[in-house]
Amino acid sequence: MQFEITKAATFDAAHHFPNEPEGSIYRRLHGHSFMVEATVRSETLDADHGWVADLGALDRALKAAAEELDHGLLNDKPGLELPSLEKLCLWFVNRLKPEWPGLCRVTVGRPTIHERCTVSL
């Protein structure tokens, strides 16, 4: 048996893809509203609380990571020089995994345009 808990956060940020050809819409600076979800998995429950992990603590960790990107230029963050959804997933994994060893999935999406990427660990 495996249990999974998930929290979500939102942020707004701008980006561009400097490696695209002149005139490409992707090369132009533009912004999105993003949603990120982080899922933690465990086969056992904490004996003192009967849970996988503290959802409040996961919420705070995820929101703190999202806050680092909120209302900024993604390209300015190390690892996001080419800020695809895939790279954003990895960025969140790198922020959360040290504190959350049970992290098993991160999804980053742009809900207004119905796009998302999921990385499973």
Side-chain angles (χ1 to χ4, degrees):
M1 191 175 320
Q2 293 186 2
F3 299 92
E4 293 181 352
I5 60 170
T6 302
K7 286 302 287 186
T10 59
F11 62 99
D12 298 297
H15 71 155
H16 65 98
F17 288 89
N19 59 338
E20 289 293 311
E22 280 297 325
S24 168
I25 62 170
Y26 301 114
R27 186 178 178 114
R28 294 192 309 240
L29 183 65
H30 61 283
H32 296 282
S33 293
F34 293 89
M35 186 174 85
V36 57
E37 294 181 342
T39 301
V40 175
R41 175 184 296 151
S42 178
E43 293 181 1
T44 60
L45 300 178
D46 176 274
D48 293 332
H49 299 96
W51 61 27
V52 170
D54 182 345
L55 279 164
L58 179 58
D59 186 56
R60 288 186 296 277
L62 184 59
K63 285 180 178 175
E67 179 66 27
E68 289 183 48
L69 302 178
D70 192 43
H71 286 81
L73 179 61
L74 297 177
N75 301 72
D76 290 344
K77 293 290 183 180
L80 293 176
E81 294 82 5
L82 296 175
S84 63
L85 288 175
E86 293 84 350
K87 294 283 186 137
L88 279 164
C89 283
L90 293 175
W91 188 90
F92 279 99
V93 166
N94 290 332
R95 286 294 178 288
L96 297 172
K97 190 69 172 168
E99 185 182 345
W100 298 92
L103 185 70
C104 66
R105 187 171 45 257
V106 170
T107 298
V108 177
R110 297 183 286 239
T112 59
I113 56 175
H114 311 289
E115 296 176 344
R116 68 178 173 219
C117 176
T118 300
V119 62
S120 298
L121 310 169

